[in-house]
């Protein structure tokens, strides 16, 4: 006869068993669980960390003050430099009493502009410029890297450079510079306009001069400045024997070129 099997004495009957997930969670007596939405939680450091937060913000203040002090010093230096430059310019003006140089074009010898052919042209122009320095105390050094450009309307015909020389006080210097162009293509309309202007004996041209110079006042030389001269020149014909009908020059100066 088979033995009867009895359940484990401490195991409850199957009908009284609860699933593990339904087992109630027991909390210590006197405690509560409160659910608060995240957007209502304010991040306030606990008392034990409050001193660390205070030290952190205190350590950042000197950095901001150092940056502010640097900006103030830089601003002071810039303002001081501007004031000193203004004072120096005023002293220079009242001591030297500078007078603007006078420029004019006295001759243009033009070759290589054949208006009877539609092929490209290679103009060769020699220009003579009169530069008058009427200052009693200022000499002018004309330095390298200068440029000369001759235009008809917006078309550049040729270019060249000025010679380097020193112009003393109360002096008039007349110099000649060569300009060359190569492979300049002129449209049929430009050909007709130039021919018509030449028949009227009034061909308008424009000469642009860019000259780096230094001024000499006594034993002192200034920094290099740039003089830009623009001359509107009218000639009677486009030939080596051209005569100048009128010339009008204006100039401007870049103190810091």
């Amino acid at each position: 006869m088979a033995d009867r099997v009895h359940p484990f004495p401490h195991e409850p009957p199957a009908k009284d068993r609860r699933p593990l997930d339904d087992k109630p969670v027991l909390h210590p007596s006197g405690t509560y669980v409160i659910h608060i939405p995240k957007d209502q939680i304010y991040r306030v450091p606990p008392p034990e960390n409050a001193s660390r937060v205070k030290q952190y913000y205190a350590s950042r203040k000197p950095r901001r003050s150092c940056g502010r002090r640097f900006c103030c010093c830089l601003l002071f230096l810039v303002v001081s430099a501007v004031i000193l430059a203004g004072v120096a310019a005023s002293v220079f003006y009242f001591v030297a009493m500078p007078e603007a140089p006078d420029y004019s074009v006295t001759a243009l010898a033009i070759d290589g502009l054949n208006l009877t052919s539609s092929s490209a042209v290679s103009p060769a122009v020699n220009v003579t410029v009169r530069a008058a320095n009427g200052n009693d105390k200022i000499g002018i050094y004309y330095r390298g890297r200068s440029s000369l450009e001759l235009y008809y309307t917006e078309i550049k015909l040729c270019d060249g450079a000025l010679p380097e020389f020193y112009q003393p006080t109360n002096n008039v210097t007349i110099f000649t510079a060569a300009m060359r162009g190569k492979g300049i293509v002129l449209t049929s309309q430009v050909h007709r306009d130039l021919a018509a202007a030449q028949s009227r004996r009034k061909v308008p041209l424009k000469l642009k001069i860019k000259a780096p110079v230094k001024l000499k006042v006594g034993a002192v030389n200034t920094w290099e400045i740039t003089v830009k001269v623009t001359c509107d020149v009218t000639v009677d014909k486009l030939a080596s024997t051209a005569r100048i009908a009128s010339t009008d020059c204006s100039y401007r100066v870049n103190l810091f070129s």
Side-chain angles (χ1 to χ4, degrees), residues 94-162:
F94 285 107
V95 171
M97 296 297 289
E99 180 181 334
D102 181 63
Y103 299 95
S104 60
V105 178
T106 60
L108 271 177
I110 304 170
D111 289 310
L113 273 175
N114 185 4
L115 301 181
T116 61
S117 174
S118 60
S119 59
V121 296
S122 298
V125 179
N126 291 331
V127 59
T128 302
V129 178
R130 180 183 183 273
N133 178 18
N135 291 284
D136 296 329
K137 300 179 180 179
I138 301 177
I140 304 175
Y141 287 99
Y142 287 85
R143 299 170 62 80
R145 304 189 314 281
S146 63
S147 65
L148 287 168
E149 296 176 340
L150 185 66
Y151 289 83
Y152 172 71
T153 60
E154 300 299 325
I155 303 170
K156 187 170 77 170
L157 300 175
C158 51
D159 55 29
L162 291 175

Side-chain angles (χ1 to χ4, degrees), residues 22-76:
D22 295 340
K23 185 177 181 179
V25 179
L26 300 179
H27 299 283
S29 177
T31 62
Y32 301 91
V33 177
I34 302 175
H35 297 280
I36 301 175
K38 291 183 178 180
D39 58 351
Q40 296 184 11
I41 298 177
Y42 298 94
R43 296 184 177 181
V44 179
E48 61 270 17
N49 293 336
S51 59
R52 296 183 180 179
V53 175
K54 186 176 181 180
Q55 291 176 1
Y56 171 75
Y57 283 106
S59 64
R60 296 184 62 184
K61 289 182 180 179
R63 296 181 183 178
R64 292 199 297 268
S65 61
C66 290
R68 191 178 297 112
R69 190 179 302 113
F70 173 77
C71 292
C72 291
C73 292
L74 182 61
L75 179 62
F76 174 77

Side-chain angles (χ1 to χ4, degrees), residues 176-199:
T176 300
M179 295 183 289
R180 299 292 181 266
K182 184 177 181 181
I184 308 300
V185 178
L186 303 178
T187 64
S188 57
Q189 182 62 48
V190 172
H191 273 271
R192 289 192 294 268
D193 293 342
L194 283 173
Q198 190 167 220
S199 66

